[in-house]
Amino acid sequence: MSTLPRVIVLATGGTIAGSASSAASSARYQAATVPVSALLQAVPVLGAVARLEAEQVAQVDSKDMSFGLWKRLSARIDHWAAQPDVAGIVVTHGTDTLEETAMLLHLTLRVEVPVVLTAAMRPSTALSADGPANLLDAIRVAADPQAHGKGVLVVLNQEIHSARDAVKAHTASVGAFVSPSAGPLGFVQDATVRVLRAPLPGPAEPWAMPSSWPLVEIVASYAEPSRLMVDALVAGGARGIVVAAAGNGSVHDTLVAALVDAAEAGVAVVRSSRTGAGHVAVPPYINPAAAAFPTAGDLNPYKARVALGLLLGAEPDLAADAMALQQRLLAI
Ligand code: ASP
């Protein structure tokens, strides 16, 4: 019997499972077409790294990610993590919304074994496809004791990121994933896995997965905005609004007036920054009227929206308690 670590690969689709009729284009292809068995067969060296078992949890382009699939994926991770001899779990995913799934898993999972998300920027049929190496690296990390207890990780382009921090920051580069404020946790170079530091631990207790997803949307602040979108969201029953604020969390006065009305109507309003990096100050230094809106710290609007959706889905009353909401967001 092999002594290699047992690693489970849960596939959800994405460009890593994409194919094209021509290897010459990495833009014209169909995502989520190649089954996980074929992805593993394409990298024969994997058999020397781990004992692999694979499950096709879904086959979607991650632009179409849904709450239902999040719940299914989470349940499959829990199932496999509960088996005593599983060393780690790899999730293959599309890059487009990987940062959102990563955030959700970071907040809701508490498993000791490494859960490693990986993906590819180029389809499996491309010249210099990045998927095979990313898959190999992710499996190496999932099988490595250094990754134990480090929470949910993201491995692409030889870098190891915390799921809390990783975001997609380029349309096409194989180095599209970065952790803008924190930097990567470590790297993979051939068979060498180095985890250089621990990630932020996240909330002391895992957050509950709500039974349904609340209506939580993102509105951006920019020159000459209208209040139309905020008013429409309130009228449409939104439970939360994340403002992609300018700079260090500042919001146009027109939008602040609409958001104050939204908050009075019971909608939770949270400020994130549209800049892509840095921590949004508490309280905002420009709009005193927006001081009542909690900040999402260094979470970008998409990650902040996932956090707010989870909180409001499980605890709707938080919408009326900006201080409690602020504490929960800063504990992420
Ligand atoms: N649209 C693809 C997806 O997110 C892009 C990718 O995986 O790179 O599924």
Side-chain angles (χ1 to χ4, degrees):
M1 159 105 171
S2 159
T3 55
L4 290 174
R6 184 177 175 215
V7 173
I8 311 301
V9 180
L10 303 179
T12 69
T15 293
I16 192 167
S19 58
S21 50
S22 155
S25 166
S26 57
R28 292 174 63 89
Y29 68 94
Q30 182 83 40
T33 53
V34 181
V36 64
S37 52
L39 297 182
L40 297 178
Q41 272 162 23
V43 194
V45 67
L46 288 176
V49 176
R51 279 183 291 140
L52 294 174
E53 277 162 71
E55 194 178 300
Q56 192 79 50
V57 177
Q59 189 65 292
V60 297
D61 185 320
S62 80
K63 72 179 175 61
D64 298 321
M65 186 49 59
S66 65
F67 182 59
L69 178 47
W70 275 343
K71 285 215 286 196
R72 193 152 83 238
L73 176 62
S74 178
R76 294 318 292 158
I77 293 172
D78 281 339
H79 164 84
W80 287 109
Q83 311 226 350
D85 63 338
V86 167
I89 298 169
V90 169
V91 176
T92 62
H93 199 288
T95 59
D96 286 346
T97 58
L98 188 146
E99 67 202 67
E100 297 171 52
T101 301
M103 192 75 228
L104 177 116
L105 295 177
H106 169 77
L107 291 170
T108 57
L109 282 182
R110 267 314 167 267
V111 295
E112 275 302 300
V113 296
V115 174
V116 182
L117 278 76
T118 194
M121 293 297 290
R122 297 175 180 154
S124 65
T125 47
L127 291 173
S128 300
D130 53 333
N134 286 345
L135 188 57
L136 173 59
D137 287 351
I139 288 168
R140 281 186 163 133
V141 172
D144 196 297
Q146 292 175 79
H148 210 87
K150 299 286 190 308
V152 184
L153 302 170
V154 174
V155 170
L156 275 98
N157 198 38
Q158 298 184 282
E159 290 182 343
I160 306 169
H161 296 265
S162 167
R164 179 196 183 282
D165 302 320
V167 297
K168 183 175 181 180
H170 197 285
T171 56
S173 164
V174 293
F177 278 79
V178 295
S179 294
S181 300
L185 298 180
F187 62 87
V188 187
Q189 199 170 334
D190 298 326
T192 304
V193 172
R194 285 295 305 277
V195 181
L196 302 168
R197 62 179 179 86
L200 283 175
E205 293 298 325
W207 288 7
M209 184 77 86
S211 50
S212 60
W213 188 254
L215 183 58
V216 176
E217 303 290 347
I218 299 171
V219 170
S221 183
Y222 36 70
E224 196 59 34
S226 78
R227 50 178 295 154
L228 270 179
M229 281 192 282
V230 173
D231 291 344
L233 285 172
V234 175
R239 306 301 308 133
I241 297 176
V242 173
V243 198
N248 193 356
S250 56
V251 181
H252 194 289
D253 283 346
T254 300
L255 222 45
V256 171
L259 291 167
V260 166
D261 291 348
E264 270 167 19
V267 179
V269 178
V270 167
R271 288 172 305 119
S272 170
S273 174
R274 64 181 215 184
T275 59
H279 192 96
V280 171
V282 192
Y285 67 101
I286 284 177
N287 297 117
F293 306 147
T295 144
D298 64 342
L299 301 181
N300 75 12
Y302 312 103
K303 283 181 176 277
R305 176 182 170 271
V306 171
L308 187 58
L310 285 171
L311 284 174
L312 296 177
E315 298 172 63
D317 290 349
L318 271 178
D321 190 345
M323 219 122 89
L325 190 54
Q326 181 65 88
Q327 277 164 7
R328 303 294 288 276
L329 290 168
L330 289 180
I332 291 175

